[in-house]
Each structure stands twice: as structure tokens, then as C-alpha cells.
Amino acid sequence: MSGKIDKTAPPHAGSTAYINARIIDPTGNTEYVGAILISDGKIADFGPNLFASGAPYGIRSVDCRGLYLAPGLVDTRVHTGEPGEEHKETLESAGAAAAVGGITSMVLLPDTEPPFDDASLIEFVARRARQVKLANMYAYGALTVGLEGKELAEIGLLSEAGAVAFTDADHAVGNAQVMRRALYYAKTFDALIVHLPQEPNLSGGTMTSGEMATRLGLSGSPPLAEVMMVERDIRLAEMTGGRMHLTKISTAESVEVIGAAKARGLRITCDTAAPYFALNDLAVGDYRTFCKLVPPLRAEKDRLAIVEGLKDGTIDAIVSDHRPQDQDSKRVPFAQAEPGGIGLETLLPISLELVHGGHLTLPRLFQLLSATPASLFGLPGGKLAKGAPADLVLFDADYAWKIDRTGLWSKTKNTPFDERPVQGRVMATIVGGRTIYRDDSFAATAAAA
């Protein structure tokens, strides 16, 4: 993508008004033409009648020229390679990719080398985020020591150090007793446990079970492996009263079971990742390793059920599940390839397909991408409110382009959406009142004004 990252951009000394914008307010579930006033890195005012005749003298103004202006995206599932695998992704390269994608806050998974099972590593992320000066960065604490699913990590100490939730990333906790203890322990701190529901003994296949796996001669991972663990986790959450968030939901049965649990009033929330509503198992095609993910891409009926779950509110949030893998990890036979795909820069345009397809409104989409994830994880962004951080994304919802992995800012290029035509492009990303990214086309328009 063509644009400029500016990590040194200072906030404007006075006030800045973003005028002539199509404002998306996910909390108010509204969309209108209006303006947002930023002062001292925070939202000072916003509304449909604000500066209708232009910004007053002394206030710097940015003419948005009818583009959409919304709370920046809050991505709660980001893998990086720092520390330990910096050749795949650093916090700086991930921060740049997030800025290009309109993501103003991201929560980093603990599956690094070493994992985030020690308070010093949570503090390391906070320190590096201050140095990088791009998107806001928060860290998960490991749920178990070494992400091994055996001994609980020090949830209390990690929480004090700044961990916003607890997970073993893509390692499912197969031992029900360990998960029960974790829920009880986390409840003491009102901490959120995030779990990938995959039954370890059933989910070892390289793609989802079915006709495509049989045709390609690949081992299958049945959808049952997910819903079995979903049902177990729901029962444990009901028993303990703990807060459970199920991540990367990918099957129709899981959506049905979670919807029923919510109807009973249980403290269950969940998310899905962009590939699970945008792709199905046919995308694996001729052994495309970029489409080898965890969980695997499912059948079309499952993809449609995920879309319905997003529409009816069963699914609470959308994540990128950004997982960089280098060429040595992907340019191998499918069965040996490492799973995962990058997604920071493609999260918004892929999610906008739900709007262009008539499934969601823009305010509803930004509830899924911004407001709800921020609320669930106790983060300050994701909303329009006086005094809230001025973390915003300016985008053109109709800008047509084709995803080209070679033009992405991430260190690795393993996107499952390579060569996919999309509509929607970020024109500027604002964090704490600082414009950290500006697309070349918007910069040229602004310069010509």
C-alpha cells in the first residue's frame, strides 16, 4: 500500500477539527455527516451540527471531503515475533501494519520466546510500545506456565503488571481441571480468560474434515473438535461464574451452542477472525499454504453460519488473528507448513464485505471491530465520547483495489487474501490526536485543497 508512516508526528499544539466527515458512532448506533473536534489528544466534541459552516478561527481544520471517520479498530488477537522471532515480525513492523490498517489498539498474544508468563515481559511490551510510538499496544498474560496447559501462571501478578486478559494463544487447554481452576482464580481479579476451543486430541489434522480434505489427501480436523470444547468451556464458566471469551469461532454448531448459552444469561462472549466469514475450505485449492490456519477454514455452511452469528449478535467481535510466518515456514508441503496468516492491513476491507453484501450496517460493523472489543478488554479506545482518546480511522468505504501481498507493510507476506479484489481503504489513522499514517491519495487531495 502507498502511504506514509509517521511515528514522530506530535499532536497538534492546539485543537484540530475534522470536518465534512461521515461520522460512524458505534456506541450510539448512528451514522451522520458531521465533525469531530480533537484537543490535547482527546475528543473534545463531536456531532452532526458541529462546525457546519466551517471551523472557527484559531482551530486547525482537516477537510475529510465526505470520507468516513470512525473510532479506530481494536484488534484483540495479534501474534508478533518479538521477543524471539524478530525475523517474522517486530513490534515496530506490526505497529506500522496496524497503522496502515486503521488499527489504533492491539492486544499481543503471549506465544513469543519466551512467552508472556512473567511480569517483566508484560512491562517489556509497554516499554517497547512507548518507543515505537504507533498503535497502542497491550499484552495478554499467559494462562499457564510456558503455555503448556498444566500449571497456572501468576494471574494476579501479571494483571498488576498490565496484562489485559489471559490466554494460551493457539494452545488449547485440554485439561478441564486446569481450566476450572483458572476460571476460579481469574474470577478473584475479575480477569477475562480467552480460550481457543479446539479439543487437542481431535484437532490435529491439517485442514477441516470433508470432501476437500479427502480429494487432496490431507488429514482432517473435524468441526466436532471445536464444539466439544465450546460446550465444555460453557459448562465450566457456568460452574465457576468466571468470565470466558471463546476466540476464532469457525463452525455452525459452535454459533448455535454459544447463542443458547447467552440466552441462559451466562457470561460467555466470543469472536471470529476475518477468514472464517470470508473464505471456506475451497480456498486451500492447490495446497495453498497461506490458507492453512488454526482452526482450519471450514465448509461453506459454516462460513454462512458465522455471517449469521455476526448479524444476530451471537458473535461479539471480529479479530485479525494476525500470525506472521516466513517463507521457510510456508514454502513447504502443506502438511509440514506452519499455520497462520497475516491480517492487520486487510481486516477493515475484508470486514467491509459484510456491509457491501448487505449483512451489516457500518455502525454495527464498528461495534464488532472497535466498541465491543475495547469494552470487553477494558481498553480506553473504540468509541466516540467526550474525553475519550482521539483514536480514529478515516477511510473510503468504496475505494476499489486488489490485495497484493508484495505491497503489504508486514515483514512477512503470508496473507490468505492475496489477489482478492476489495472495496475499502484507510486514508488516515490517528492515535492520541497524532496522524501516524496517511495514504498517498488522501495526502495529495489534502495538499491540493
Side-chain angles (χ1 to χ4, degrees), residues 315-330:
I315 299 174
D316 300 277
I318 296 172
V319 299
S320 71
D321 192 37
H322 178 81
R323 188 172 182 179
Q325 299 286 6
D326 60 9
Q327 288 201 28
D328 291 344
S329 302
K330 287 291 190 180

Side-chain angles (χ1 to χ4, degrees), residues 5-93:
I5 296 286
D6 190 356
K7 59 184 286 187
T8 63
H12 183 63
S15 298
T16 302
Y18 287 81
I19 62 173
N20 298 329
R22 297 168 75 177
I23 307 292
I24 299 167
D25 181 356
T27 307
N29 198 31
T30 56
E31 176 187 333
Y32 52 82
V33 175
I36 296 178
L37 176 65
I38 294 173
S39 183
D40 297 325
K42 299 185 181 299
I43 296 172
D45 203 358
F46 64 98
N49 300 313
L50 190 64
F51 308 135
S53 55
Y57 178 77
I59 294 181
R60 176 175 171 263
S61 67
V62 176
D63 190 347
C64 297
R65 297 178 172 268
L67 296 175
Y68 286 99
L69 188 59
L73 279 61
V74 177
D75 187 0
T76 60
R77 195 167 187 87
V78 179
H79 301 257
T80 71
E82 186 176 351
E85 291 185 306
E86 287 85 354
H87 63 287
K88 293 184 178 181
E89 194 86 281
T90 64
L91 296 186
E92 184 157 355
S93 64

Side-chain angles (χ1 to χ4, degrees), residues 337-350:
E338 292 292 331
I342 59 172
L344 292 171
E345 295 161 76
T346 55
L347 179 58
L348 182 57
I350 295 298

Side-chain angles (χ1 to χ4, degrees), residues 13-361:
S15 298
T16 302
Y18 287 81
I19 62 173
N20 298 329
R22 297 168 75 177
I23 307 292
I24 299 167
D25 181 356
T27 307
N29 198 31
T30 56
E31 176 187 333
Y32 52 82
V33 175
I36 296 178
L37 176 65
I38 294 173
S39 183
D40 297 325
K42 299 185 181 299
I43 296 172
D45 203 358
F46 64 98
N49 300 313
L50 190 64
F51 308 135
S53 55
Y57 178 77
I59 294 181
R60 176 175 171 263
S61 67
V62 176
D63 190 347
C64 297
R65 297 178 172 268
L67 296 175
Y68 286 99
L69 188 59
L73 279 61
V74 177
D75 187 0
T76 60
R77 195 167 187 87
V78 179
H79 301 257
T80 71
E82 186 176 351
E85 291 185 306
E86 287 85 354
H87 63 287
K88 293 184 178 181
E89 194 86 281
T90 64
L91 296 186
E92 184 157 355
S93 64
V100 174
I103 295 166
T104 54
S105 294
M106 53 184 180
V107 186
L108 308 180
L109 287 156
D111 54 344
T112 51
E113 291 291 339
F116 298 164
D117 58 3
D118 187 272
S120 64
L121 289 159
I122 306 297
E123 293 161 357
F124 164 80
V125 170
R127 184 170 66 253
R128 285 287 289 131
R130 289 192 296 270
Q131 294 168 351
V132 169
K133 296 180 181 177
L134 289 169
N136 302 305
M137 297 182 189
Y138 305 91
Y140 282 98
L143 185 59
T144 66
V145 175
L147 311 182
E148 294 178 352
K150 297 175 183 177
E151 180 185 346
L152 291 184
E154 290 287 353
I155 291 176
L157 293 177
L158 293 171
S159 184
E160 284 182 12
V164 297
F166 298 87
T167 185
D168 275 357
D170 282 351
H171 304 270
V173 178
N175 189 316
Q177 180 74 306
V178 172
M179 182 57 78
R180 183 183 74 89
R181 289 172 178 158
L183 283 162
Y184 271 128
Y185 187 22
K187 185 181 177 183
T188 307
F189 307 97
D190 196 33
L192 179 67
I193 288 181
V194 177
H195 191 225
L196 175 69
Q198 294 294 314
E199 211 294 319
N201 296 313
L202 281 178
S203 57
T206 55
M207 69 174 295
T208 197
S209 300
E211 182 181 338
M212 192 67 174
T214 303
R215 202 175 81 200
L216 294 175
L218 295 171
S219 59
S221 179
L224 183 66
E226 179 173 292
V227 72
M228 280 178 64
M229 192 63 88
V230 167
E231 290 176 327
R232 186 207 74 172
D233 286 351
I234 287 172
R235 293 293 185 185
L236 290 175
E238 187 173 23
M239 174 195 293
T240 62
R243 295 174 61 205
M244 171 69 78
H245 181 85
L246 300 169
T247 188
K248 292 198 288 185
I249 296 302
S250 67
T251 70
E253 283 188 281
S254 294
V255 173
E256 182 180 351
V257 169
I258 292 168
K262 286 187 167 191
R264 301 206 322 266
L266 299 185
R267 297 179 79 187
I268 299 291
T269 54
C270 68
D271 65 55
T272 192
Y276 303 114
F277 61 76
L279 299 171
N280 60 30
D281 60 342
L282 298 180
V284 172
D286 276 337
Y287 305 95
R288 290 186 62 214
T289 59
F290 283 11
C291 290
K292 183 179 181 181
L293 308 174
V294 173
L297 293 173
R298 303 294 188 182
E300 177 65 5
K301 69 177 181 63
D302 294 302
R303 187 192 72 80
L304 293 173
I306 296 299
V307 173
E308 284 302 312
L310 291 165
K311 287 172 65 175
D312 66 22
T314 300
I315 299 174
D316 300 277
I318 296 172
V319 299
S320 71
D321 192 37
H322 178 81
R323 188 172 182 179
Q325 299 286 6
D326 60 9
Q327 288 201 28
D328 291 344
S329 302
K330 287 291 190 180
R331 300 298 187 190
V332 294
F334 194 90
Q336 282 79 54
E338 292 292 331
I342 59 172
L344 292 171
E345 295 161 76
T346 55
L347 179 58
L348 182 57
I350 295 298
S351 297
L352 281 169
E353 293 179 3
L354 296 166
V355 175
H356 295 309
H359 301 295
L360 302 176
T361 63

